């Protein structure tokens, strides 16, 4: 039986979009009661990038496996560029990693075949070049398979309450974009509001970050509305499916064949990354997007095409340890583009260490 549409949603006040952008998002398993401290030490958040392919060992690009601590990806790339005497834009990487943590990732930089550089000269208290390998192509954004995380939560108020949720989150959590996407105190969303009101952002990198933040915010809201009204298990009459491991998507009815493909992991449910046109938007999603019409229109005018992102995040090989009576260590892998904090928020009401937030904010301001 066809569900009657609910009353039209009111336009969301702009001010609510720029304050604590994750605070109002729905929890799939209810808000956790346990509390914990996150990122007290850099070693409490460790990330290992998984390329998922072999480097060929020859070519005009040198790929560097870098372990960094307390420095962001962009600043590492600048140091590599200066050492290799190339423009910063010539240094590429698969994805950005958090400043506040110990993270390993791959960079590539063009170096003539007849020239040999020893990048271990860059090693200091923030950077360690673990390996350098030649490759025929530069690394491009998103070329990696995913990331392996090791996270330590400290001062956990109710360890058993956290552990009792582990099996639930193994079944997946809402694939929200994390707070890093929106800047300190939602600063990127404040700038998005000004940009859509007509203010020009001349810095291309900053403009790209602001556009991405706006699009990610809308995605989060749509996922949250779906969780509130349907959860993530119930399917709509028509769904937009994504092919697993691909950005390709298609709209189809819920059929026994599609249910089988979902169970087998061949296809996944998705939510929209809005852009130009309504391709791939089902009726209920169009209804949910009404309060964000102004931002959707702004993103369309920029020329972005409508894309999709998987609705649910699945942690792979999730393992748990208790180093002490009030600390919990989690290790798991996520596909590229997924945020570990989306998993954490379903497990525990965490508080990020104030010192790390302040350092991050000060450096972000300096870079902008």
């Amino acid at each position: 039986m066809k569900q009657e549409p609910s009353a039209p949603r009111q336009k969301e006040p702009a001010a609510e979009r720029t304050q604590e952008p994750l605070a109002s998002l729905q929890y799939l398993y209810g808000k956790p009661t346990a509390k914990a401290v996150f990122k007290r030490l850099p070693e409490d958040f460790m990330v290992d990038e998984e390329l998922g392919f072999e480097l060929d060992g020859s070519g005009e690009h040198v790929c560097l496996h870098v372990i960094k601590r307390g420095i962001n990806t962009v600043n590492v790339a600048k140091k590599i560029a200066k050492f290799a005497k190339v423009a910063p834009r010539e240094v590429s990487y698969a994805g950005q990693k958090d400043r506040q943590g110990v993270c390993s990732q791959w960079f590539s930089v063009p170096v003539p075949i007849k020239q040999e550089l020893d990048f271990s000269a860059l090693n200091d208290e923030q950077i360690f070049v673990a390996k350098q390998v030649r490759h025929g192509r530069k690394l491009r954004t998103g070329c990696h398979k995913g990331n392996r995380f090791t996270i330590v939560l400290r001062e956990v108020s109710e360890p058993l309450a956290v552990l009792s949720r582990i099996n639930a989150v193994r079944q997946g959590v809402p694939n929200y974009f994390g707070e890093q996407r929106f800047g300190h105190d939602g600063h990127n969303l404040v700038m998005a509001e000004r940009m859509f009101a007509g203010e020009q952002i001349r810095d291309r990198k900053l403009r790209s970050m602001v556009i991405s933040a706006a699009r990610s915010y809308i995605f989060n809201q749509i996922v949250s509305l779906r969780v509130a009204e349907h959860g993530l298990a119930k399917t709509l009459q028509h769904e937009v499916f994504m092919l697993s491991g691909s950005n390709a998507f298609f709209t189809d009815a819920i059929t026994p064949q599609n249910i089988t493909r979902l169970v087998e992991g061949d296809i996944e449910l998705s939510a929209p990354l809005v852009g130009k046109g309504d391709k791939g938007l089902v009726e209920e999603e169009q209804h949910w997007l009404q309060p964000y019409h102004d931002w959707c229109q702004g993103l369309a005018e920029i020329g972005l095409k409508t894309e999709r992102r998987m609705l649910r995040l699945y942690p792979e090989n999730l393992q748990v340890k208790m180093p002490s009576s009030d600390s919990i260590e989690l290790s798991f892998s996520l596909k590229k583009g997924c945020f570990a904090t989306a998993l954490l928020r379903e497990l525990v009401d965490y508080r990020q260490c104030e010192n790390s937030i302040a350092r991050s904010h000060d450096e972000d301001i300096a870079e902008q």
Side-chain angles (χ1 to χ4, degrees), residues 200-214:
Q200 297 291 320
I201 301 179
R202 301 189 182 281
D203 186 308
R204 292 179 60 186
K205 179 189 170 188
L206 179 57
R207 184 172 183 270
S208 177
M209 289 173 56
V210 169
I211 291 170
S212 180

Side-chain angles (χ1 to χ4, degrees), residues 164-185:
S164 69
R165 286 176 170 250
I166 292 295
N167 284 336
V169 301
R170 289 184 198 276
Q171 307 307 311
V173 301
N175 192 22
Y176 293 131
F177 286 95
E179 55 261 41
Q180 307 97 306
R181 180 59 58 96
F182 307 108
H184 186 73
D185 288 338

Side-chain angles (χ1 to χ4, degrees), residues 185-196:
D185 288 338
H187 176 70
N188 292 346
L189 298 177
V190 174
M191 298 197 69
E193 190 67 41
R194 287 158 47 183
M195 181 184 70
F196 291 133

Side-chain angles (χ1 to χ4, degrees), residues 227-332:
V227 170
E229 296 189 17
H230 302 291
L232 293 184
K234 182 180 177 182
T235 53
L236 308 179
Q237 284 189 329
H238 283 78
E239 290 280 4
V240 184
F241 300 99
M242 291 187 70
L243 297 176
S244 295
S246 168
N247 292 326
F249 59 89
F250 64 96
T251 305
D252 200 359
I254 293 297
T255 64
Q257 292 82 2
N258 283 334
I259 292 176
T260 299
R261 295 181 71 186
L262 280 170
V263 172
E264 293 176 348
D266 180 44
I267 58 176
E268 302 176 38
L269 299 179
S270 68
L273 293 168
V274 297
K276 188 175 182 180
D278 57 2
K279 178 184 178 183
L281 294 177
V282 297
E283 182 178 353
E284 197 152 5
E285 289 174 341
Q286 294 181 22
H287 177 64
W288 286 334
L289 285 169
Q290 289 176 8
Y292 314 101
H293 173 74
D294 53 344
W295 279 23
C296 291
Q297 185 176 9
L299 291 168
E301 291 174 353
I302 289 170
L304 297 178
K305 65 177 182 179
T306 299
E307 298 175 315
R308 305 291 297 192
R309 173 179 166 91
M310 62 183 184
L311 186 66
R312 189 188 294 249
L313 174 159
Y314 295 94
E316 299 176 10
N317 194 22
L318 173 58
Q319 300 177 8
V320 185
K321 298 179 182 178
M322 288 195 65
S324 67
S325 60
D326 66 345
S327 63
I328 295 177
E329 180 183 297
L330 306 166
S331 59
F332 53 91

Side-chain angles (χ1 to χ4, degrees), residues 38-39 45-47 98 147-151 173-180 309 313 315 330 332-335 337-347 350:
F38 179 40
K39 290 187 178 181
F45 185 68
M46 303 183 70
V47 187
D98 288 40
N147 299 287
R148 182 75 185 170
F149 296 87
T150 302
I151 292 172
V173 301
N175 192 22
Y176 293 131
F177 286 95
E179 55 261 41
Q180 307 97 306
R309 173 179 166 91
L313 174 159
L330 306 166
F332 53 91
S333 294
L334 297 178
K335 293 180 179 179
C338 295
F339 287 77
T341 49
L343 179 73
L344 287 185
R345 77 185 297 273
E346 290 284 347
L347 284 172
Y350 65 85

